[in-house]
Amino acid sequence: MSRRSGILEFAVLGLLRESPMHGYELRKRLNTSLGVFRAFSYGTLYPCLKALVANGWLIEETDGAPEAVPAAALTGRRAKIVYRLTAAGKEHFEELLAHSGPDAWEDEHFGVRFAFFGQTSRDVRMRVLEGRRSRLEERLERMHTSLARSRERLDDYTLELQRHGMESVEREVRWLNELIESERAGRDQRAPDPAAQDSKHQSGDTGGLPRHRGGSRPDPSDDTTT
Amino acid sequence: MSRRSGILEFAVLGLLRESPMHGYELRKRLNTSLGVFRAFSYGTLYPCLKALVANGWLIEETDGAPEAVPAAALTGRRAKIVYRLTAAGKEHFEELLAHSGPDAWEDEHFGVRFAFFGQTSRDVRMRVLEGRRSRLEERLERMHTSLARSRERLDDYTLELQRHGMESVEREVRWLNELIESERAGRDQRAPDPAAQDSKHQSGDTGGLPRHRGGSRPDPSDDTTT
DNA sequence: TTCGTCATGTAATGGGTTACATGATTAC
DNA sequence: GTAATCATGTAACCCATTACATGACGAA
């Protein structure tokens, strides 16, 4: 038992669903792919992994052990522990994916939830997006009124800070609007049905996200090795 | 003794500098004026206040005691504790204001620091703004390269999340650019000199912030009473 | 008189980081 | 051979929240 915060657990399960990994790599993925928002340290990750194993959602396989190691790396290397999702784990993750409770659109959770929208059913996606939007709209309203009440009292910097804050929130609302709209437009369902899936993992669903795209260019470089 | 996280301490000192207040009110201010970012609970605030008192930076005056209570409220009301900044506290806050160490532009700190820019000397303001900007630029670069490295591997949602994240950061950089520019343009210094101040508190300095301004309209309403 | 909000606190708990300890592997 | 980075862990601490306990004041 022992409830971990959900967010780490969720992300770990989700990443491991795509392919088994060891802790170290997992952490990097956590802090790049998903981690624009959150950076976890080993002191958090490893204990969490242990707990997930204890719950039967993961198994650790010492790399170089059973499971057809494809030659190479047989030089008696130290026990790298590769974590693999169990059937139970998969099931559990599926359940988590299906939940769309109010906390799913809180600041901390929303990002991770969104990151796994690829495996999320369309109606849940919708609920989460709309939930988040109204969350932000409430916040916006509160900021608005509290600003109105104290405008005179506040100096220019505080005001500017407030203004910028609101603008950020407004921007996110617009983003959500786009997403929701293109989500509605998208013809496809991706199984509210919990049985008709698993043949690889989730093919091309994505109801067509709004077209954007920034500059790219390859460029091998460092890693957030805190 | 006992280092509090800095950020709460800083904010409390700063708010109390403007005028004495009791905890309850303090908390509200914390969660509106400054608190777009952070919301503190009583379980955090009250112990912190005690600690600040212990440090000699604040004194508590039981409302209805000495200090010329302007009639009214003499009906034996319960001990509301009003916190007032001591000379030492003021001095300490002044020191904190002057620091522009690297942590000053970290996510958690930057907001509060900015909120008190009104009492901050211009060169410190500059350093903090520029520090934050380069912080964000680093981050942007990292996101950029890590995105380039994994673009193919990622599904559309993850990509979109990443894109939106970067766009947000870019936006903040542009904001900082504006601020820095208008800060440079601003004719005024506001005392790097630590002796020539205190005659009331900080008059109209502000080197002219970029012109913006959203809708207002008065509208009395609720309070984030979590 | 009851409800809301003002007002002050504390103990248990949670969730996470820092700093440390350890060692293998790779690249130069 | 030595530095970087891969790799796994743990114990001590920190910051803050939750839930609780308590009570006064004002308005309906």
Side-chain angles (χ1 to χ4, degrees):
Chain A
M1 312 321 158
S2 88
R3 289 280 74 61
R4 346 237 104 264
S5 82
I7 142 151
L8 217 204
E9 171 184 312
F10 183 82
V12 165
L13 257 23
L15 284 180
L16 249 27
R17 219 195 92 125
E18 291 164 20
S19 76
M21 263 179 279
H22 47 247
Y24 190 86
E25 195 185 343
L26 202 43
R27 184 192 174 240
K28 272 200 307 192
R29 299 285 300 274
L30 235 35
N31 295 224
T32 54
S33 311
L34 319 171
V36 192
F37 316 97
R38 207 96 160 61
F40 291 99
S41 61
Y42 297 124
T44 318
L45 178 58
Y46 283 119
C48 171
L49 284 170
K50 296 293 178 189
L52 293 183
V53 169
N55 273 8
W57 294 330
L58 305 183
I59 34 160
E60 2 182 275
E61 346 187 295
T62 46
D63 197 4
E67 227 70 35
V69 178
L74 290 171
T75 45
R77 21 156 68 175
R78 192 248 199 119
K80 279 200 214 174
I81 301 175
V82 175
Y83 292 91
R84 175 187 301 278
L85 206 58
T86 65
K90 206 162 188 170
E91 205 178 316
H92 179 61
F93 181 64
E94 231 78 62
E95 270 168 46
L96 293 180
L97 270 186
H99 286 319
S100 51
D103 45 307
W105 45 75
E106 287 306 311
D107 290 324
E108 334 80 58
H109 293 40
F110 177 73
V112 208
R113 291 304 305 255
F114 192 96
F116 290 102
F117 264 19
Q119 2 255 64
T120 308
S121 76
R122 180 143 156 279
D123 49 320
V124 171
R125 288 194 309 243
M126 270 311 225
R127 270 198 297 277
V128 172
L129 289 173
E130 277 164 352
R132 174 114 188 114
R133 182 175 53 179
S134 57
R135 190 85 188 65
L136 292 184
E137 271 161 356
E138 281 167 33
R139 189 182 306 183
L140 216 42
E141 188 146 334
R142 262 184 288 117
M143 294 169 85
H144 196 286
T145 65
S146 99
L147 215 187
R149 247 187 313 176
S150 49
R151 173 177 293 284
E152 325 305 337
R153 226 181 348 92
L154 301 172
D155 65 293
D156 289 1
Y157 284 108
T158 314
L159 237 37
E160 174 60 21
L161 186 59
Q162 220 82 4
R163 200 199 52 71
H164 179 252
M166 288 183 60
E167 215 173 88
S168 299
V169 179
E170 279 161 8
R171 210 182 132 267
E172 189 174 341
V173 170
R174 284 196 298 274
W175 181 61
L176 290 168
N177 283 336
E178 282 182 55
L179 289 171
I180 288 167
E181 204 183 323
S182 69
E183 203 68 73
R184 265 196 238 283
R187 297 288 103 235
D188 95 280
Q189 224 68 321
R190 213 199 94 39
D193 175 359
Q197 60 193 183
D198 205 16
S199 61
K200 248 334 151 359
H201 63 263
Q202 276 57 61
S203 48
D205 75 301
T206 307
L209 290 177
R211 280 301 144 218
H212 288 285
R213 215 107 288 193
S216 68
R217 89 152 178 220
D219 175 359
S221 183
D222 82 297
D223 263 283
T224 330
T225 321
T226 316
Chain B
M1 323 312 169
S2 84
R3 291 280 68 65
R4 346 237 104 262
S5 82
I7 142 152
L8 216 202
E9 171 184 311
F10 183 82
V12 165
L13 257 23
L15 284 180
L16 249 26
R17 222 195 89 125
E18 291 164 21
S19 76
M21 264 179 278
H22 48 246
Y24 191 87
E25 195 186 343
L26 202 43
R27 184 192 176 239
K28 270 201 306 193
R29 299 286 300 273
L30 235 36
N31 295 225
T32 54
S33 311
L34 318 170
V36 191
F37 317 97
R38 208 98 161 60
F40 290 99
S41 61
Y42 297 125
T44 318
L45 179 57
Y46 284 119
C48 172
L49 284 170
K50 296 292 179 192
L52 294 183
V53 169
N55 272 8
W57 295 329
L58 305 182
I59 35 162
E60 359 182 275
E61 344 186 298
T62 46
D63 198 3
E67 226 71 34
V69 178
L74 290 171
T75 45
R77 23 154 68 176
R78 192 249 198 118
K80 279 200 214 171
I81 301 177
V82 174
Y83 293 91
R84 177 188 300 279
L85 206 57
T86 64
K90 207 164 186 169
E91 207 178 314
H92 179 60
F93 181 64
E94 230 78 62
E95 272 167 45
L96 292 179
L97 270 186
H99 286 319
S100 50
D103 46 307
W105 45 77
E106 287 305 313
D107 291 324
E108 332 80 57
H109 292 42
F110 177 73
V112 208
R113 292 304 305 255
F114 192 95
F116 289 102
F117 263 19
Q119 1 256 65
T120 307
S121 76
R122 182 142 155 281
D123 48 322
V124 172
R125 286 193 313 241
M126 269 311 223
R127 271 199 295 280
V128 172
L129 289 173
E130 278 163 352
R132 173 113 188 116
R133 182 175 53 178
S134 56
R135 188 85 187 66
L136 292 183
E137 271 161 356
E138 282 166 32
R139 190 183 305 184
L140 215 44
E141 188 145 336
R142 262 183 290 116
M143 293 169 86
H144 197 287
T145 66
S146 99
L147 216 188
R149 247 187 314 175
S150 50
R151 175 178 290 287
E152 324 307 337
R153 228 184 342 96
L154 300 173
D155 66 293
D156 289 1
Y157 284 108
T158 313
L159 237 36
E160 175 59 23
L161 186 59
Q162 219 82 5
R163 200 196 54 69
H164 178 252
M166 288 184 61
E167 216 173 89
S168 299
V169 179
E170 278 160 7
R171 209 181 132 267
E172 189 175 340
V173 169
R174 286 195 297 274
W175 181 62
L176 289 168
N177 283 335
E178 282 182 54
L179 289 170
I180 288 167
E181 206 184 320
S182 69
E183 203 68 72
R184 266 196 239 283
R187 299 288 102 232
D188 99 278
Q189 223 71 322
R190 221 211 73 49
D193 177 358
Q197 59 192 186
D198 206 13
S199 62
K200 251 335 155 358
H201 65 263
Q202 277 59 64
S203 50
D205 74 301
T206 304
L209 290 177
R211 280 301 144 216
H212 287 284
R213 214 110 293 192
S216 66
R217 82 113 208 242
D219 176 357
S221 186
D222 80 301
D223 264 282
T224 329
T225 320
T226 315

